[in-house]
Amino acid sequence: MDITTRKIQMFMGVVFTGMGLATVAFPATVANLSFTNAFLGKEGVTPALQLVMQCFGSQASLCGLLILSSDFRIGTFRNFGLAMIPYFIFDYHFWKTGALTLFGASGDAVGNSIFSFCCYIGYNRLNGRNRKVS
């Protein structure tokens, strides 16, 4: 099966939008799965944290919708892939310092790895390195 850059982009957009909408719809669940009890403190998931999670989710949804409605070029795949690097550092740092659960940090890292890999494939496709992915 030949995977086109448009299919790669659509996959990225659907995942971003879906994850973002899930965070908007279920902010407390996402927060409880992502943050340690020590980080949340005795109050747990507060209304303010729920609002922040919903804002984060709406930004992810917006990013997903932009991915779905744009036409990625070689530079777009390259820049988006490079922009993922700080998120790996973020995940590790906040897991190591006890803010993120292992599930939260590794779940985000897996998603970021998928997005980075998609960008790598898209970049190579547009750069004339047409390797088939099965």
Side-chain angles (χ1 to χ4, degrees), residues 34-67:
S34 301
F35 300 116
T36 63
N37 289 334
F39 179 79
L40 291 173
K42 63 180 178 179
E43 292 185 32
V45 180
T46 63
L49 180 57
Q50 285 190 50
L51 176 63
V52 169
M53 295 299 292
Q54 287 176 311
C55 290
F56 174 77
S58 66
Q59 288 179 335
S61 298
L62 176 61
C63 182
L65 293 172
L66 285 171
I67 291 170

Side-chain angles (χ1 to χ4, degrees), residues 42-97:
K42 63 180 178 179
E43 292 185 32
V45 180
T46 63
L49 180 57
Q50 285 190 50
L51 176 63
V52 169
M53 295 299 292
Q54 287 176 311
C55 290
F56 174 77
S58 66
Q59 288 179 335
S61 298
L62 176 61
C63 182
L65 293 172
L66 285 171
I67 291 170
L68 289 169
S69 63
S70 300
D71 188 20
F72 274 25
R73 297 180 296 182
I74 190 169
T76 315
F77 278 114
R78 180 196 61 228
N79 295 342
F80 198 95
L82 291 173
M84 297 306 295
I85 294 170
Y87 292 96
F88 292 103
I89 297 165
F90 166 89
D91 291 334
Y92 178 76
H93 172 75
F94 286 102
W95 170 73
K96 195 70 172 165
T97 59

